[in-house]
Amino acid sequence: MSLPDGVERRAFDGEERLATRGTPVYGEPTDGQWRLWDARRSKLGAMLELGMDTGLSAEDRVLYLGAASGTTVSHVADFAGPTYAVEFATRPVRDLLDAAEDRARLFPLVKDARKPETYAHVVESDLDAVVQDVATSGQARVSTLNKQFLAEDGRLVAAFKARSEDVTADPDEVFDDVLAELREDFEILDTERLEPFHDDHLGVVATPK
């Protein structure tokens, strides 16, 4: 499995696990300057643990949708370049702001990922990656709306939650619908269910058409 530069496997309690070099954010274990990246608390971490080729690399310019309290996006900012963190819910934003204090490359935006026009004047164009983890209906639509920020060879790296679309539907059917919608605007490069780390989630890597 190829990990992005700046992401390594380190020993925590005798087990090799993902880690980035940075200031701890959510009470995670550390090994010197390295902090555990817990795949059970991070969809992107799970994608890396499962061997998905995300295409992410050091110094990438990233738009992160659904930053929440900063658990995952702080790891991204540890190895990536400028990282724009979009989060709409006010409750976790304070923690996100705290995570950004020690990370000069992390830029929190209290915005709605479904309304990219509200942050288009701040976020760069031709970004290397859009990383998405938004727990809302219309997740594929969010990807399409934010495609405008990606370079032609950029990557969408997204985790889709079946129950955010339809609590009662079979997750496989939900994911089929999500992928069908995505294929209108993206070429799908890789997909993987995120069990055992996250139930009823699908990891997707895609590039704009």
Side-chain angles (χ1 to χ4, degrees), residues 66-144:
S69 58
T71 298
T72 298
V73 74
S74 62
H75 287 289
V76 173
D78 283 349
F79 71 84
T83 302
Y84 302 93
V86 174
E87 177 52 51
F88 181 63
T90 55
R91 181 184 57 79
V93 162
R94 178 174 295 181
D95 290 336
L96 176 59
L97 293 174
D98 287 344
E101 282 188 2
D102 297 310
R103 291 172 172 83
R105 296 175 295 191
L106 179 56
F107 304 101
L109 300 172
V110 186
K111 301 291 184 181
D112 187 339
R114 297 168 295 185
K115 299 177 180 179
E117 68 276 7
T118 63
Y119 48 87
H121 62 292
V122 177
V123 177
E124 300 175 56
S125 58
D126 296 325
L127 294 178
D128 301 293
V130 170
V131 179
Q132 178 178 323
D133 179 15
V134 293
T136 184
S137 60
Q139 294 166 90
R141 176 65 175 161
V142 171
S143 302
T144 297

Side-chain angles (χ1 to χ4, degrees), residues 171-191:
D172 288 334
E173 294 180 1
V174 172
F175 296 144
D176 286 345
D177 291 342
V178 167
L179 291 173
E181 185 174 348
L182 280 178
R183 287 191 177 98
E184 296 179 11
D185 295 282
F186 294 91
E187 177 186 354
I188 307 298
L189 303 178
D190 194 11
T191 65

Side-chain angles (χ1 to χ4, degrees), residues 47-59:
M47 293 171 75
L48 293 173
E49 282 282 16
L50 292 168
M52 295 187 71
D53 182 5
T54 63
L56 296 172
S57 61
E59 303 305 320

Side-chain angles (χ1 to χ4, degrees), residues 130-170:
V130 170
V131 179
Q132 178 178 323
D133 179 15
V134 293
T136 184
S137 60
Q139 294 166 90
R141 176 65 175 161
V142 171
S143 302
T144 297
L145 288 171
N146 286 274
K147 173 188 168 187
Q148 62 183 288
F149 299 107
L150 277 175
E152 289 185 5
D153 60 348
R155 297 285 184 102
L156 169 70
V157 183
F160 296 101
K161 183 178 180 180
R163 299 191 185 284
S164 290
E165 298 293 340
D166 190 332
V167 174
T168 63
D170 180 89

